[in-house]
Amino acid sequence: MKFYDLNIRGQNFNNDLKLIQEAHKFGWNHLNLNYSPDYFNKALDYKDDLLNKAFNNDNSLTKSLDADFEVSMGINISNPKNPNEVRKVVNKFRNKTQYLSCLGGDLKINRAICENNRIDVLSRPYYKRHDSGMNHVLAKLAVKNNVAIELCFRDILNQHLKYRANVIASFKEILKFHRKFQFPLILTTDTKYIYDVRSTRDIVALFKAIGFTNEEIYNGFYKYPKEILDFNKDRKNMIIQGVKVVEGATDFTEVHKKEDTTIDFDDLFEDDIEDDDIDEKFDEEYLDLEDINDLDNLDNLFEDIEGDFDE
């Protein structure tokens, strides 16, 4: 399984480089560096240099990046004052980035985000609240406009006592809404410094302890994040939602081939069970039968029942 983290706090060249190297060392496969709208253009200017230095690292103490390791850059609208401010930023940057999220908390902001299909993610709707910041109305709007809801691991990591308990309770409530209404639910770390980085195994264990299933963890760290990024790559070709221009295709079937994505979620994060062990266990239970002739008697019983039915 690949792990996508769509919320890494981008700040400056040196800190971003350290975060990329540290997160890769702990098992992450795709990182999205989030910046404020004011800093985003500057980050794009040094993106190529950042990736070159990260992938061509000559430091023997740092693990070199894999060829399939990916880094993207997005925008997070933090602490918006009102819905109008959110709309202005969306209009300005929507066509310049593959990822656009907005920090929630205020119910008016939460609703404005869920109503806007040009925003990818409502981040932390529970922010500075005593409840989850979600209800059935917002859940239905998120489904309708394909807006993902984001839960951040850092909110648990850096909080204590009552506030941490409130955050976990909010996670569980949002999870219930997700299971009922099926809006996209993504899981992120909101990593700001290298000391916030945790391994993928540790984070999976925490979300399992909260009550997430293997399938929900898989969707939150891979399926939904990948769908968001892939959708936004084709956004410029979208005529309306669900209809896009496909260049070079001569037949609809050329672009409508579905891959087999069947996944055994029960064994996704577990050690594989050997077939020989299963066969051995079956043989032991089979040999424990007291009277093997009971199987013959059972066949005769079925024959008698069938005879009575025919008569």
Side-chain angles (χ1 to χ4, degrees), residues 126-256:
Y126 50 85
Y127 181 66
K128 290 186 178 181
R129 297 185 61 84
H130 297 293
D131 57 17
S132 67
M134 289 291 294
N135 53 48
H136 69 284
V137 175
L138 297 184
K140 291 179 180 179
L141 288 172
V143 174
K144 178 181 178 181
N145 296 296
N146 198 33
V147 176
I149 308 300
E150 176 187 353
L151 306 182
C152 293
F153 167 75
R154 189 168 179 266
D155 289 325
I156 296 177
L157 178 67
N158 289 356
Q159 301 301 330
H160 304 280
L161 302 177
K162 184 177 180 180
Y163 186 76
R164 176 180 284 180
N166 288 339
V167 171
I168 294 176
S170 297
F171 280 21
K172 291 183 177 181
E173 185 173 347
I174 293 174
L175 179 60
K176 289 181 180 179
F177 282 120
H178 166 68
R179 288 172 176 173
K180 182 174 182 179
F181 296 100
Q182 293 299 307
F183 53 77
L185 182 66
I186 67 171
L187 308 176
T188 68
T189 65
D190 191 27
T191 299
K192 188 174 182 180
Y193 304 107
I194 59 173
Y195 305 106
D196 296 332
V197 179
R198 295 295 185 273
S199 71
T200 55
R201 294 173 64 90
D202 292 340
I203 295 179
V204 166
L206 182 138
F207 280 105
K208 276 190 174 183
I210 293 176
F212 284 73
T213 65
N214 288 339
E215 181 177 2
E216 289 162 349
I217 294 173
Y218 171 85
N219 292 339
F221 278 119
Y222 178 69
K223 180 177 180 288
Y224 291 136
K226 188 175 186 301
E227 287 179 353
I228 291 173
L229 296 176
D230 290 345
F231 179 84
N232 286 327
K233 287 179 182 178
D234 291 333
R235 185 178 283 272
K236 62 181 180 180
N237 295 324
M238 293 287 178
I239 301 174
I240 59 174
Q241 186 170 347
V243 180
K244 69 177 181 178
V245 177
V246 180
E247 298 180 358
T250 59
D251 185 1
F252 177 72
T253 57
E254 294 182 10
V255 295
H256 196 64

Side-chain angles (χ1 to χ4, degrees), residues 30 40 71 95 127 138 170 194 209 232-233 244 248 261 276 278 283 303:
H30 185 114
F40 179 70
V71 177
N95 295 328
Y127 181 66
L138 297 184
S170 297
I194 59 173
N232 286 327
K233 287 179 182 178
K244 69 177 181 178
T261 57
D276 294 341
I278 298 177
D283 291 340
E303 292 177 359

